[in-house]
Every structure is written in structure tokens, then in C-alpha cells.
Amino acid sequence: HCYFTLTIILLFINIVFLHASHNPKDNVKYIFINKTFYTEHEINKLTHLIDSTKNESAQNSHIFDSIKSESAQLTTLVNESKNEINNLKSLSNDSCQINYGISVIISLFRYPREYVEIKLAEQLALCEKYNIPILIKLDCEVWMNSRSDLWNWWDKSLPGYNPKNIDNVERFGWEKDKALKIGWLNWGRQIRMLPMINLYSKKYRKAVTKELRHFASEIYKWQNSLPNERKYLFGGIVLGWESSIGVTNYYYTNGNDLLDKNPKDDPVNIINIKELPSRGVQTIGYAAVESAKIANDGVLNDTMQAEVIYRHLRDMSKIVFDQKIPKTKIYTHTGGWKKFESLYNSALNEYSLPGWSFYEYAFDVKADESISNLIKNNNINNWGAVEWLLQGSDKNENDWINGFNNAFDFGANIVSIYNFGDVVNNKNAIKAIAKLTSN
């Protein structure tokens, strides 16, 4: 009789933990600090800053140790009552572990594959050496320097020249003679860019599929080789980089005429990011909209542009998902600037978790109604603040802690701070990360 009773109680405990493991909200959270690539010196510096701050803080809270302690206590409660077990179940569901880690950017089309493989391997090796989790952005959109075979349709003197590449770049009208030769980007300062790629050209999509399959497979092999107790080192993959049409690569009216002129004479940045669909400059997106068979004439609008981004991110998410990366470790990263614009929705698909940027609303992500309404209306329990920064020199340690907690409490699995320099030189940020994280 005692053996039977003990068996039933043990079975009940197993059910409790099985249920907890499928809790719709992820109980492992991450704070990542972003940099394109990390050197060993920089990882040493970051871990030293955070870990030494932990040791100095008498109020440091080791959440992970608390969870382990609770789990150990649970195994001793076999002979306790059902109500006590239910209390433990509730506690287990509400607890969470927060780790800090690094976020890196692997631009697949910026450098030759061999170089990208070396850089990725370096970052993964450093993470293993220092036991620090990693979030990997696989960029196939912004930097296209090594793939002139995709975009060079006009210059015979440059590598990759092929007139047919005109189909692989964006246009400022339906006609092919409106194909771009140049673009611009402003991340603090304006720089010239290669022409924005046609996100739905067959040749570009084939190239994306090939590279994503290769690198997602390599990441899976690395993650799969880790022992169970170190699986936490893999924080996930991010696809997209504020994905949009005409923002991270915009085009001025008559921009092609400026190609051979001094960049110093380029227009001063007049982009109006909330003006749709042009963003305050020349509307582009005609090539992708036509290639995706959304429209081929008439007035192009922002809903059409957003549909392209949705399909693009969904396609990339499926490619990565098919390489055995679970949905819970794949994040999209869309843009979104005008309140309630369609682009915010482009982050959602069945193969990944949605991700967005937070600057203005970094302190309280719920205050961004465009995103919070989307999360609530679609019952999204897990998502990513894949680009985030609490701005302002007046922000104290508690502001940073509250900013992180506000995101986590609203369902964010990750907060990726952009970027390294804004963290290592900010004592309040370091103290907040040290106080919240377990590793």
C-alpha cells in the first residue's frame, strides 16, 4: 500500500514538472550585448565588468541558484500533501532564469563564405571558452559587398557584371529602366550603399536559401554538440535587420545621377521615416512587389511593401527551421516607425518568434501600442526585443532594471542591447545586468 501511494505521488510530481516544461512563457531569459564581432579581450572585459560587479554587490540575486534550490527541495516532498505540491507547481511556473550573453552580426553577403565561416567559428569557440550565451543575427539584407554577381547590372569594369542582374535590384517605378544603382543608409551618419536588393528576385532568393541552409546547419551542429547542461549557450538566431523597404537602404530622387559624383555633395538626409510609402524620399519596392506577384501596375502602397517583408522573413524562418533550429530559437526583426503601420505585422509567422526594435519605448515596451496591441491581439507569449537601448545619461540603475523587467514581464525572451560601447562604459547598465542575471 505504501509503495503504491509513493508511486502515485512520484507520478504526480512528474506531471507537475512536465507541465512546467511546456509553460507557454519561456522561463529562460537573456540580456545580450551586441557587437558585430567580439575579440577575446572584449569578452574578457565584459565578463569581468559584470562578474566583478556581482561580487561587490551585497544585494545580488542569483535567480538560477534559487530555482535549483527549489527543485532540490521538491524531491524531498514525496510524502507531502497534494496542496503543497500544487504550491510548488505555481512557484515553478512563475520563476525564471536570466542569463547575460553576447549578440553578434554575421553578414552572409558582406564577405566571402570562407571568411564568414572563420568568424562564426571564432565567436562560437569564445562562447564555449567563457561559458557565455550567444545570439546570432544572420544578415542577408543590408551588406551585399561580396555579391556583385547579384547587383552589378551596369558597370562592365566591376566584378559580377551581368545585365540580367537588373532583375535583382529595386526600382523606383514599374519599368526596368528605373532600376537603382545606388542607395543610402543613416545609422547616426549618412553613408552610400549598394542598390537595395530585390528581396523577391529568384536569383537572390536562391542565394539566401543556399547560405542560410549552410550556416543554420553549422549552428545546429554546434548547438547539438553541447552537453545538456551547456545548451543554454545557444540563445538563438535573428533574421532580418529592421527589415523594410526604403529605410535601411533608401533612395533619393534622381539618385542614380549622383553615383559618379562626390559623396560630399549628396543631399542632406531628408528621410521622413513616418511618411508612407516613400519614407519622405523616393518610393521604391516596385521590383519586389512585382516579383512576388502582388502587383505590377498602379499605385504602390505600404501594405504591398509590408507583404514582401512578411514573405521574405517567413521564407528565411522556414529555411532555418528546416535545419532543426526550433521555433523558440528563431526571431525575426522587422522595422516599424509609423504608429500601427502594416510593417509591424510582418514579424509574425509560424516558423519563428517575432522581434522588433525599441528605442523610444525601451523603458516600457508596453507603451509602444503598435507592438503591444499586436502581442495582445495575437496571444503572443514569447517574442524578442532584438534591438533595444535605454537612452539618456540620466537613466540610473533602477531605470535599467525596470526597463529589462518590463520587457520580460510582457513576454520578451531576449533583450539585445545595441551596443557594446553603450554598455561597458555605463556603470548603471552593468550594475543592472549584474543584479538581474544568474550566470
Side-chain angles (χ1 to χ4, degrees), residues 303-331:
T303 303
M304 297 174 184
Q305 294 173 327
E307 176 65 19
V308 169
I309 298 302
Y310 161 73
R311 296 186 193 183
H312 168 61
L313 290 173
R314 182 182 182 274
D315 289 349
M316 291 198 298
S317 298
K318 185 178 187 303
I319 292 166
V320 173
F321 180 83
D322 287 345
Q323 304 311 304
K324 302 181 181 179
I325 304 295
K327 174 179 178 175
T328 54
K329 293 295 185 180
I330 306 171
Y331 297 87

PDB file of all heavy atoms in Angstrom, residues 303-331:
ATOM      1  N   THR A 303       1.228  48.686 -47.679  1.00  0.00           N
ATOM      2  CA  THR A 303       0.741  47.336 -47.409  1.00  0.00           C
ATOM      3  C   THR A 303       1.423  46.325 -48.326  1.00  0.00           C
ATOM      4  O   THR A 303       1.753  45.207 -47.906  1.00  0.00           O
ATOM      5  CB  THR A 303      -0.783  47.271 -47.581  1.00  0.00           C
ATOM      6  OG1 THR A 303      -1.398  48.228 -46.713  1.00  0.00           O
ATOM      7  CG2 THR A 303      -1.317  45.883 -47.239  1.00  0.00           C
ATOM      8  N   MET A 304       1.634  46.720 -49.598  1.00  0.00           N
ATOM      9  CA  MET A 304       2.349  45.860 -50.542  1.00  0.00           C
ATOM     10  C   MET A 304       3.792  45.653 -50.085  1.00  0.00           C
ATOM     11  O   MET A 304       4.322  44.535 -50.113  1.00  0.00           O
ATOM     12  CB  MET A 304       2.327  46.476 -51.939  1.00  0.00           C
ATOM     13  CG  MET A 304       0.953  46.624 -52.546  1.00  0.00           C
ATOM     14  SD  MET A 304       1.065  47.540 -54.119  1.00  0.00           S
ATOM     15  CE  MET A 304      -0.674  47.681 -54.555  1.00  0.00           C
ATOM     16  N   GLN A 305       4.434  46.727 -49.663  1.00  0.00           N
ATOM     17  CA  GLN A 305       5.813  46.627 -49.171  1.00  0.00           C
ATOM     18  C   GLN A 305       5.883  45.691 -47.961  1.00  0.00           C
ATOM     19  O   GLN A 305       6.778  44.839 -47.866  1.00  0.00           O
ATOM     20  CB  GLN A 305       6.336  48.008 -48.786  1.00  0.00           C
ATOM     21  CG  GLN A 305       6.507  48.980 -49.948  1.00  0.00           C
ATOM     22  CD  GLN A 305       6.856  50.378 -49.467  1.00  0.00           C
ATOM     23  OE1 GLN A 305       6.417  50.805 -48.398  1.00  0.00           O
ATOM     24  NE2 GLN A 305       7.648  51.098 -50.254  1.00  0.00           N
ATOM     25  N   ALA A 306       4.940  45.842 -47.041  1.00  0.00           N
ATOM     26  CA  ALA A 306       4.924  45.021 -45.828  1.00  0.00           C
ATOM     27  C   ALA A 306       4.681  43.551 -46.155  1.00  0.00           C
ATOM     28  O   ALA A 306       5.230  42.657 -45.497  1.00  0.00           O
ATOM     29  CB  ALA A 306       3.858  45.526 -44.863  1.00  0.00           C
ATOM     30  N   GLU A 307       3.878  43.276 -47.180  1.00  0.00           N
ATOM     31  CA  GLU A 307       3.628  41.897 -47.583  1.00  0.00           C
ATOM     32  C   GLU A 307       4.912  41.241 -48.091  1.00  0.00           C
ATOM     33  O   GLU A 307       5.177  40.059 -47.808  1.00  0.00           O
ATOM     34  CB  GLU A 307       2.543  41.850 -48.656  1.00  0.00           C
ATOM     35  CG  GLU A 307       2.253  40.471 -49.228  1.00  0.00           C
ATOM     36  CD  GLU A 307       1.677  39.477 -48.234  1.00  0.00           C
ATOM     37  OE1 GLU A 307       1.158  39.917 -47.178  1.00  0.00           O
ATOM     38  OE2 GLU A 307       1.740  38.256 -48.499  1.00  0.00           O
ATOM     39  N   VAL A 308       5.712  42.003 -48.835  1.00  0.00           N
ATOM     40  CA  VAL A 308       7.006  41.486 -49.290  1.00  0.00           C
ATOM     41  C   VAL A 308       7.873  41.110 -48.087  1.00  0.00           C
ATOM     42  O   VAL A 308       8.480  40.031 -48.047  1.00  0.00           O
ATOM     43  CB  VAL A 308       7.736  42.516 -50.171  1.00  0.00           C
ATOM     44  CG1 VAL A 308       9.186  42.082 -50.417  1.00  0.00           C
ATOM     45  CG2 VAL A 308       7.015  42.705 -51.493  1.00  0.00           C
ATOM     46  N   ILE A 309       7.933  42.001 -47.099  1.00  0.00           N
ATOM     47  CA  ILE A 309       8.767  41.740 -45.918  1.00  0.00           C
ATOM     48  C   ILE A 309       8.250  40.525 -45.151  1.00  0.00           C
ATOM     49  O   ILE A 309       9.041  39.686 -44.689  1.00  0.00           O
ATOM     50  CB  ILE A 309       8.816  42.981 -45.007  1.00  0.00           C
ATOM     51  CG1 ILE A 309       9.452  44.168 -45.750  1.00  0.00           C
ATOM     52  CG2 ILE A 309       9.598  42.675 -43.727  1.00  0.00           C
ATOM     53  CD1 ILE A 309      10.856  43.913 -46.263  1.00  0.00           C
ATOM     54  N   TYR A 310       6.950  40.407 -45.025  1.00  0.00           N
ATOM     55  CA  TYR A 310       6.380  39.235 -44.353  1.00  0.00           C
ATOM     56  C   TYR A 310       6.821  37.949 -45.049  1.00  0.00           C
ATOM     57  O   TYR A 310       7.298  37.006 -44.398  1.00  0.00           O
ATOM     58  CB  TYR A 310       4.850  39.321 -44.333  1.00  0.00           C
ATOM     59  CG  TYR A 310       4.201  37.983 -44.084  1.00  0.00           C
ATOM     60  CD1 TYR A 310       4.231  37.400 -42.806  1.00  0.00           C
ATOM     61  CD2 TYR A 310       3.584  37.283 -45.125  1.00  0.00           C
ATOM     62  CE1 TYR A 310       3.662  36.150 -42.582  1.00  0.00           C
ATOM     63  CE2 TYR A 310       3.013  36.036 -44.905  1.00  0.00           C
ATOM     64  CZ  TYR A 310       3.060  35.476 -43.634  1.00  0.00           C
ATOM     65  OH  TYR A 310       2.514  34.233 -43.427  1.00  0.00           O
ATOM     66  N   ARG A 311       6.675  37.891 -46.362  1.00  0.00           N
ATOM     67  CA  ARG A 311       7.033  36.674 -47.101  1.00  0.00           C
ATOM     68  C   ARG A 311       8.529  36.398 -47.010  1.00  0.00           C
ATOM     69  O   ARG A 311       8.960  35.253 -46.854  1.00  0.00           O
ATOM     70  CB  ARG A 311       6.605  36.804 -48.564  1.00  0.00           C
ATOM     71  CG  ARG A 311       5.105  36.910 -48.761  1.00  0.00           C
ATOM     72  CD  ARG A 311       4.774  36.876 -50.253  1.00  0.00           C
ATOM     73  NE  ARG A 311       3.401  37.263 -50.521  1.00  0.00           N
ATOM     74  CZ  ARG A 311       2.848  37.264 -51.726  1.00  0.00           C
ATOM     75  NH1 ARG A 311       3.577  36.893 -52.786  1.00  0.00           N
ATOM     76  NH2 ARG A 311       1.596  37.638 -51.898  1.00  0.00           N
ATOM     77  N   HIS A 312       9.298  37.462 -47.122  1.00  0.00           N
ATOM     78  CA  HIS A 312      10.759  37.341 -47.042  1.00  0.00           C
ATOM     79  C   HIS A 312      11.188  36.756 -45.701  1.00  0.00           C
ATOM     80  O   HIS A 312      11.984  35.800 -45.639  1.00  0.00           O
ATOM     81  CB  HIS A 312      11.365  38.730 -47.266  1.00  0.00           C
ATOM     82  CG  HIS A 312      12.807  38.854 -46.938  1.00  0.00           C
ATOM     83  ND1 HIS A 312      13.798  38.127 -47.574  1.00  0.00           N
ATOM     84  CD2 HIS A 312      13.457  39.651 -46.029  1.00  0.00           C
ATOM     85  CE1 HIS A 312      14.979  38.465 -47.086  1.00  0.00           C
ATOM     86  NE2 HIS A 312      14.798  39.376 -46.148  1.00  0.00           N
ATOM     87  N   LEU A 313      10.665  37.290 -44.607  1.00  0.00           N
ATOM     88  CA  LEU A 313      11.035  36.799 -43.273  1.00  0.00           C
ATOM     89  C   LEU A 313      10.476  35.403 -43.019  1.00  0.00           C
ATOM     90  O   LEU A 313      11.137  34.570 -42.379  1.00  0.00           O
ATOM     91  CB  LEU A 313      10.540  37.775 -42.203  1.00  0.00           C
ATOM     92  CG  LEU A 313      11.259  39.125 -42.158  1.00  0.00           C
ATOM     93  CD1 LEU A 313      10.567  40.059 -41.175  1.00  0.00           C
ATOM     94  CD2 LEU A 313      12.719  38.955 -41.789  1.00  0.00           C
ATOM     95  N   ARG A 314       9.289  35.144 -43.514  1.00  0.00           N
ATOM     96  CA  ARG A 314       8.711  33.808 -43.360  1.00  0.00           C
ATOM     97  C   ARG A 314       9.555  32.779 -44.112  1.00  0.00           C
ATOM     98  O   ARG A 314       9.830  31.698 -43.587  1.00  0.00           O
ATOM     99  CB  ARG A 314       7.274  33.788 -43.875  1.00  0.00           C
ATOM    100  CG  ARG A 314       6.575  32.439 -43.715  1.00  0.00           C
ATOM    101  CD  ARG A 314       5.173  32.478 -44.303  1.00  0.00           C
ATOM    102  NE  ARG A 314       4.481  31.205 -44.109  1.00  0.00           N
ATOM    103  CZ  ARG A 314       4.570  30.174 -44.924  1.00  0.00           C
ATOM    104  NH1 ARG A 314       5.353  30.237 -46.012  1.00  0.00           N
ATOM    105  NH2 ARG A 314       3.898  29.053 -44.684  1.00  0.00           N
ATOM    106  N   ASP A 315       9.943  33.108 -45.318  1.00  0.00           N
ATOM    107  CA  ASP A 315      10.776  32.188 -46.100  1.00  0.00           C
ATOM    108  C   ASP A 315      12.086  31.893 -45.379  1.00  0.00           C
ATOM    109  O   ASP A 315      12.514  30.738 -45.285  1.00  0.00           O
ATOM    110  CB  ASP A 315      11.074  32.779 -47.480  1.00  0.00           C
ATOM    111  CG  ASP A 315       9.861  32.796 -48.397  1.00  0.00           C
ATOM    112  OD1 ASP A 315       8.835  32.168 -48.050  1.00  0.00           O
ATOM    113  OD2 ASP A 315       9.925  33.448 -49.456  1.00  0.00           O
ATOM    114  N   MET A 316      12.755  32.940 -44.895  1.00  0.00           N
ATOM    115  CA  MET A 316      14.021  32.732 -44.191  1.00  0.00           C
ATOM    116  C   MET A 316      13.820  31.928 -42.911  1.00  0.00           C
ATOM    117  O   MET A 316      14.638  31.057 -42.572  1.00  0.00           O
ATOM    118  CB  MET A 316      14.677  34.074 -43.890  1.00  0.00           C
ATOM    119  CG  MET A 316      15.182  34.822 -45.111  1.00  0.00           C
ATOM    120  SD  MET A 316      16.389  36.104 -44.709  1.00  0.00           S
ATOM    121  CE  MET A 316      15.413  37.195 -43.681  1.00  0.00           C
ATOM    122  N   SER A 317      12.732  32.211 -42.194  1.00  0.00           N
ATOM    123  CA  SER A 317      12.454  31.482 -40.955  1.00  0.00           C
ATOM    124  C   SER A 317      12.264  29.995 -41.230  1.00  0.00           C
ATOM    125  O   SER A 317      12.757  29.139 -40.478  1.00  0.00           O
ATOM    126  CB  SER A 317      11.203  32.051 -40.276  1.00  0.00           C
ATOM    127  OG  SER A 317      11.392  33.402 -39.908  1.00  0.00           O
ATOM    128  N   LYS A 318      11.550  29.671 -42.298  1.00  0.00           N
ATOM    129  CA  LYS A 318      11.326  28.263 -42.636  1.00  0.00           C
ATOM    130  C   LYS A 318      12.630  27.567 -43.012  1.00  0.00           C
ATOM    131  O   LYS A 318      12.853  26.403 -42.644  1.00  0.00           O
ATOM    132  CB  LYS A 318      10.323  28.129 -43.781  1.00  0.00           C
ATOM    133  CG  LYS A 318       9.959  26.667 -44.082  1.00  0.00           C
ATOM    134  CD  LYS A 318       8.942  26.550 -45.181  1.00  0.00           C
ATOM    135  CE  LYS A 318       8.467  25.100 -45.327  1.00  0.00           C
ATOM    136  NZ  LYS A 318       9.562  24.141 -45.576  1.00  0.00           N
ATOM    137  N   ILE A 319      13.493  28.265 -43.739  1.00  0.00           N
ATOM    138  CA  ILE A 319      14.789  27.691 -44.116  1.00  0.00           C
ATOM    139  C   ILE A 319      15.575  27.297 -42.860  1.00  0.00           C
ATOM    140  O   ILE A 319      16.113  26.192 -42.755  1.00  0.00           O
ATOM    141  CB  ILE A 319      15.603  28.675 -44.965  1.00  0.00           C
ATOM    142  CG1 ILE A 319      14.940  28.878 -46.332  1.00  0.00           C
ATOM    143  CG2 ILE A 319      17.039  28.181 -45.150  1.00  0.00           C
ATOM    144  CD1 ILE A 319      15.471  30.072 -47.103  1.00  0.00           C
ATOM    145  N   VAL A 320      15.625  28.201 -41.899  1.00  0.00           N
ATOM    146  CA  VAL A 320      16.359  27.944 -40.660  1.00  0.00           C
ATOM    147  C   VAL A 320      15.655  26.867 -39.831  1.00  0.00           C
ATOM    148  O   VAL A 320      16.300  25.972 -39.276  1.00  0.00           O
ATOM    149  CB  VAL A 320      16.532  29.255 -39.858  1.00  0.00           C
ATOM    150  CG1 VAL A 320      17.140  28.982 -38.488  1.00  0.00           C
ATOM    151  CG2 VAL A 320      17.404  30.228 -40.641  1.00  0.00           C
ATOM    152  N   PHE A 321      14.346  26.948 -39.751  1.00  0.00           N
ATOM    153  CA  PHE A 321      13.557  25.955 -39.027  1.00  0.00           C
ATOM    154  C   PHE A 321      13.787  24.551 -39.590  1.00  0.00           C
ATOM    155  O   PHE A 321      13.899  23.573 -38.834  1.00  0.00           O
ATOM    156  CB  PHE A 321      12.070  26.334 -39.117  1.00  0.00           C
ATOM    157  CG  PHE A 321      11.135  25.403 -38.404  1.00  0.00           C
ATOM    158  CD1 PHE A 321      10.909  25.524 -37.037  1.00  0.00           C
ATOM    159  CD2 PHE A 321      10.472  24.398 -39.099  1.00  0.00           C
ATOM    160  CE1 PHE A 321      10.043  24.662 -36.382  1.00  0.00           C
ATOM    161  CE2 PHE A 321       9.596  23.529 -38.450  1.00  0.00           C
ATOM    162  CZ  PHE A 321       9.378  23.663 -37.086  1.00  0.00           C
ATOM    163  N   ASP A 322      13.889  24.463 -40.888  1.00  0.00           N
ATOM    164  CA  ASP A 322      14.106  23.166 -41.546  1.00  0.00           C
ATOM    165  C   ASP A 322      15.488  22.581 -41.275  1.00  0.00           C
ATOM    166  O   ASP A 322      15.737  21.406 -41.555  1.00  0.00           O
ATOM    167  CB  ASP A 322      13.886  23.288 -43.056  1.00  0.00           C
ATOM    168  CG  ASP A 322      12.420  23.430 -43.428  1.00  0.00           C
ATOM    169  OD1 ASP A 322      11.562  23.150 -42.568  1.00  0.00           O
ATOM    170  OD2 ASP A 322      12.126  23.832 -44.578  1.00  0.00           O
ATOM    171  N   GLN A 323      16.385  23.401 -40.747  1.00  0.00           N
ATOM    172  CA  GLN A 323      17.718  22.904 -40.362  1.00  0.00           C
ATOM    173  C   GLN A 323      17.751  22.493 -38.885  1.00  0.00           C
ATOM    174  O   GLN A 323      18.809  22.455 -38.260  1.00  0.00           O
ATOM    175  CB  GLN A 323      18.783  23.977 -40.641  1.00  0.00           C
ATOM    176  CG  GLN A 323      18.819  24.461 -42.075  1.00  0.00           C
ATOM    177  CD  GLN A 323      18.836  23.331 -43.080  1.00  0.00           C
ATOM    178  OE1 GLN A 323      19.703  22.463 -43.032  1.00  0.00           O
ATOM    179  NE2 GLN A 323      17.885  23.331 -44.011  1.00  0.00           N
ATOM    180  N   LYS A 324      16.576  22.195 -38.335  1.00  0.00           N
ATOM    181  CA  LYS A 324      16.401  21.658 -36.978  1.00  0.00           C
ATOM    182  C   LYS A 324      16.583  22.700 -35.878  1.00  0.00           C
ATOM    183  O   LYS A 324      16.749  22.345 -34.711  1.00  0.00           O
ATOM    184  CB  LYS A 324      17.334  20.466 -36.728  1.00  0.00           C
ATOM    185  CG  LYS A 324      17.142  19.314 -37.708  1.00  0.00           C
ATOM    186  CD  LYS A 324      18.094  18.170 -37.385  1.00  0.00           C
ATOM    187  CE  LYS A 324      17.927  17.033 -38.376  1.00  0.00           C
ATOM    188  NZ  LYS A 324      18.864  15.906 -38.088  1.00  0.00           N
ATOM    189  N   ILE A 325      16.563  23.984 -36.252  1.00  0.00           N
ATOM    190  CA  ILE A 325      16.570  25.035 -35.224  1.00  0.00           C
ATOM    191  C   ILE A 325      15.123  25.219 -34.771  1.00  0.00           C
ATOM    192  O   ILE A 325      14.242  25.485 -35.595  1.00  0.00           O
ATOM    193  CB  ILE A 325      17.119  26.363 -35.773  1.00  0.00           C
ATOM    194  CG1 ILE A 325      18.514  26.174 -36.370  1.00  0.00           C
ATOM    195  CG2 ILE A 325      17.124  27.423 -34.669  1.00  0.00           C
ATOM    196  CD1 ILE A 325      19.584  25.784 -35.395  1.00  0.00           C
ATOM    197  N   PRO A 326      14.825  25.069 -33.478  1.00  0.00           N
ATOM    198  CA  PRO A 326      13.429  25.178 -33.035  1.00  0.00           C
ATOM    199  C   PRO A 326      12.876  26.596 -33.176  1.00  0.00           C
ATOM    200  O   PRO A 326      13.629  27.569 -33.124  1.00  0.00           O
ATOM    201  CB  PRO A 326      13.482  24.749 -31.569  1.00  0.00           C
ATOM    202  CG  PRO A 326      14.890  24.993 -31.146  1.00  0.00           C
ATOM    203  CD  PRO A 326      15.746  24.763 -32.364  1.00  0.00           C
ATOM    204  N   LYS A 327      11.580  26.676 -33.338  1.00  0.00           N
ATOM    205  CA  LYS A 327      10.915  27.976 -33.470  1.00  0.00           C
ATOM    206  C   LYS A 327      11.253  28.912 -32.321  1.00  0.00           C
ATOM    207  O   LYS A 327      11.415  30.120 -32.519  1.00  0.00           O
ATOM    208  CB  LYS A 327       9.402  27.764 -33.541  1.00  0.00           C
ATOM    209  CG  LYS A 327       8.589  29.058 -33.547  1.00  0.00           C
ATOM    210  CD  LYS A 327       7.094  28.803 -33.640  1.00  0.00           C
ATOM    211  CE  LYS A 327       6.322  30.123 -33.585  1.00  0.00           C
ATOM    212  NZ  LYS A 327       4.866  29.929 -33.800  1.00  0.00           N
ATOM    213  N   THR A 328      11.393  28.355 -31.122  1.00  0.00           N
ATOM    214  CA  THR A 328      11.657  29.180 -29.943  1.00  0.00           C
ATOM    215  C   THR A 328      13.051  29.798 -29.947  1.00  0.00           C
ATOM    216  O   THR A 328      13.362  30.622 -29.089  1.00  0.00           O
ATOM    217  CB  THR A 328      11.497  28.342 -28.660  1.00  0.00           C
ATOM    218  OG1 THR A 328      12.323  27.170 -28.755  1.00  0.00           O
ATOM    219  CG2 THR A 328      10.054  27.927 -28.463  1.00  0.00           C
ATOM    220  N   LYS A 329      13.886  29.396 -30.912  1.00  0.00           N
ATOM    221  CA  LYS A 329      15.230  29.961 -31.025  1.00  0.00           C
ATOM    222  C   LYS A 329      15.413  30.752 -32.322  1.00  0.00           C
ATOM    223  O   LYS A 329      16.541  31.087 -32.685  1.00  0.00           O
ATOM    224  CB  LYS A 329      16.278  28.841 -30.949  1.00  0.00           C
ATOM    225  CG  LYS A 329      16.364  28.159 -29.586  1.00  0.00           C
ATOM    226  CD  LYS A 329      16.853  29.106 -28.500  1.00  0.00           C
ATOM    227  CE  LYS A 329      17.054  28.387 -27.178  1.00  0.00           C
ATOM    228  NZ  LYS A 329      17.529  29.329 -26.117  1.00  0.00           N
ATOM    229  N   ILE A 330      14.331  31.051 -33.011  1.00  0.00           N
ATOM    230  CA  ILE A 330      14.397  31.839 -34.244  1.00  0.00           C
ATOM    231  C   ILE A 330      13.574  33.107 -34.041  1.00  0.00           C
ATOM    232  O   ILE A 330      12.405  33.042 -33.650  1.00  0.00           O
ATOM    233  CB  ILE A 330      13.836  31.051 -35.453  1.00  0.00           C
ATOM    234  CG1 ILE A 330      14.516  29.694 -35.598  1.00  0.00           C
ATOM    235  CG2 ILE A 330      13.998  31.869 -36.732  1.00  0.00           C
ATOM    236  CD1 ILE A 330      13.854  28.787 -36.631  1.00  0.00           C
ATOM    237  N   TYR A 331      14.184  34.251 -34.299  1.00  0.00           N
ATOM    238  CA  TYR A 331      13.500  35.538 -34.156  1.00  0.00           C
ATOM    239  C   TYR A 331      13.568  36.312 -35.468  1.00  0.00           C
ATOM    240  O   TYR A 331      14.607  36.328 -36.134  1.00  0.00           O
ATOM    241  CB  TYR A 331      14.152  36.393 -33.062  1.00  0.00           C
ATOM    242  CG  TYR A 331      14.084  35.804 -31.686  1.00  0.00           C
ATOM    243  CD1 TYR A 331      15.066  34.923 -31.235  1.00  0.00           C
ATOM    244  CD2 TYR A 331      13.037  36.118 -30.829  1.00  0.00           C
ATOM    245  CE1 TYR A 331      15.002  34.365 -29.968  1.00  0.00           C
ATOM    246  CE2 TYR A 331      12.969  35.570 -29.554  1.00  0.00           C
ATOM    247  CZ  TYR A 331      13.957  34.694 -29.130  1.00  0.00           C
ATOM    248  OH  TYR A 331      13.895  34.151 -27.876  1.00  0.00           O
TER     249      TYR A 331
END
